[in-house]
Amino acid sequence: MNYILQLNGVFSNFAKDSRLNPSHISLYMALFNLANTLHFPKEFQVDRNEMMRDAKIGSLTTYHKCIKELNEFKYVEYYPSHNRFRGSKIILINFCTSPKQVVNKSYTSSKQALVHESKHNTNNNKLNTNVFFKDKKKLKQSILAFFSNHKSLEFLTEIQKKEKATQFYNYYQSLGWKINGQIIEDWNPAADNWILKANTKNTESKTYLHSKTKKVYDKPL
């Protein structure tokens, strides 16, 4: 899927579709952004809470209405999950209309237009089956170095960075370094996304705990 052609095609349809409201478009863009982060797999799983947060939708009713209507209006294919531990499956309908478009099924071509391109991308981040099974030590060392030098983690100690890197490594190692059944060709975007989510959760925790109200403890309630 070509990033630019897909956006041009879908926005052209948005402009002509009177059935849509801002919530539909916001939710579609949240889904599109996740698909882009995953390098546009054929299908992918979504977490409802994350999609509501990213789309700025505060109501479960609104979310379910919009996702079902996006499916009905043929913008996505939506396969709901009835297992709370497994996300619903989404397939983006292809709006790339250029006859000259060449779709790379692995979604890893350097010529494909993607929003996310990491500044830390090196040859050490390119993985193949040989690295998975024959050089796990080198892979883990590369991940530790990546987390240690990541600008978003400058506020952490080296021990804390190592803990986060180990959590990331163990999680994807348990999945066989696959996302939705496809081998990860470049773990760098997955690591960036992992760090972003961790920092977001930390920020939200600090926000909930912080109060600007000056408390007085020497007076009875």
Side-chain angles (χ1 to χ4, degrees):
M1 181 180 291
N2 184 289
Y3 179 91
I4 299 300
L5 292 178
Q6 177 70 8
L7 275 188
N8 287 342
V10 77
F11 272 105
S12 177
N13 279 268
F14 286 166
K16 295 179 289 186
D17 196 339
S18 60
R19 301 169 296 179
L20 301 178
N21 63 44
S23 293
H24 290 106
I25 298 174
S26 178
L27 180 55
Y28 180 89
M29 293 309 298
L31 294 169
F32 182 86
N33 182 60
L34 176 59
N36 176 62
T37 302
L38 299 175
H39 289 192
F40 294 109
K42 182 179 179 181
E43 60 184 48
F44 56 96
Q45 292 179 340
V46 297
D47 179 271
R48 181 185 64 195
N49 293 329
E50 288 184 4
M51 288 299 98
M52 290 178 64
R53 180 198 66 199
D54 294 348
K56 307 305 178 188
I57 294 176
S59 165
L60 279 174
T61 302
T62 301
Y63 172 80
H64 286 298
K65 178 177 181 293
C66 288
I67 194 71
K68 289 177 181 178
E69 289 181 341
L70 286 174
N71 177 79
E72 179 185 342
F73 301 158
K74 305 299 181 185
Y75 287 96
V76 303
E77 291 182 28
Y78 169 58
Y79 300 92
S81 170
H82 302 291
N83 184 338
R84 63 175 181 168
F85 299 107
R86 186 178 180 87
S88 297
K89 185 171 71 175
I90 296 292
I91 298 176
L92 294 183
I93 302 298
N94 196 328
F95 285 90
C96 303
T97 56
S98 171
K100 296 181 180 180
Q101 182 193 8
V102 177
V103 178
N104 185 333
K105 293 183 179 179
S106 66
Y107 302 102
T108 57
S109 169
S110 61
K111 296 180 181 179
Q112 184 179 10
L114 296 173
V115 166
H116 187 96
E117 183 177 348
S118 172
K119 295 180 181 178
H120 304 282
N121 187 26
T122 66
N123 291 333
N124 289 333
N125 296 357
K126 296 297 180 181
L127 300 181
N128 53 44
T129 52
N130 290 331
V131 175
F132 292 140
F133 300 109
K134 294 183 179 180
D135 207 349
K136 294 179 182 178
K137 183 176 180 181
K138 183 177 180 181
L139 170 61
K140 191 169 185 179
Q141 289 175 344
S142 296
I143 291 174
L144 288 172
F146 178 88
F147 275 72
S148 177
N149 296 322
H150 203 287
K151 291 185 178 181
S152 298
L153 300 178
E154 289 179 342
F155 62 95
L156 297 180
T157 64
E158 287 302 317
I159 294 177
Q160 291 172 322
K161 292 177 185 178
K162 185 176 180 180
E163 288 177 353
K164 288 187 178 293
T166 302
Q167 290 170 358
F168 171 81
Y169 174 84
N170 290 341
Y171 176 77
Y172 281 101
Q173 183 68 24
S174 68
L175 297 178
W177 292 95
K178 294 181 180 180
I179 295 179
N180 296 321
Q182 295 185 351
I183 291 179
I184 300 174
E185 296 290 339
D186 182 0
W187 55 261
N188 188 78
D192 275 333
N193 199 37
W194 182 279
I195 292 170
L196 176 62
K197 287 184 178 180
N199 287 345
T200 300
K201 289 179 181 178
N202 290 337
T203 301
E204 289 176 351
S205 289
K206 291 177 182 178
T207 302
Y208 295 144
L209 293 172
H210 180 69
S211 174
K212 294 183 179 180
T213 305
K214 186 177 182 180
K215 297 182 180 180
V216 179
Y217 295 99
D218 59 350
K219 293 182 180 181
L221 295 175

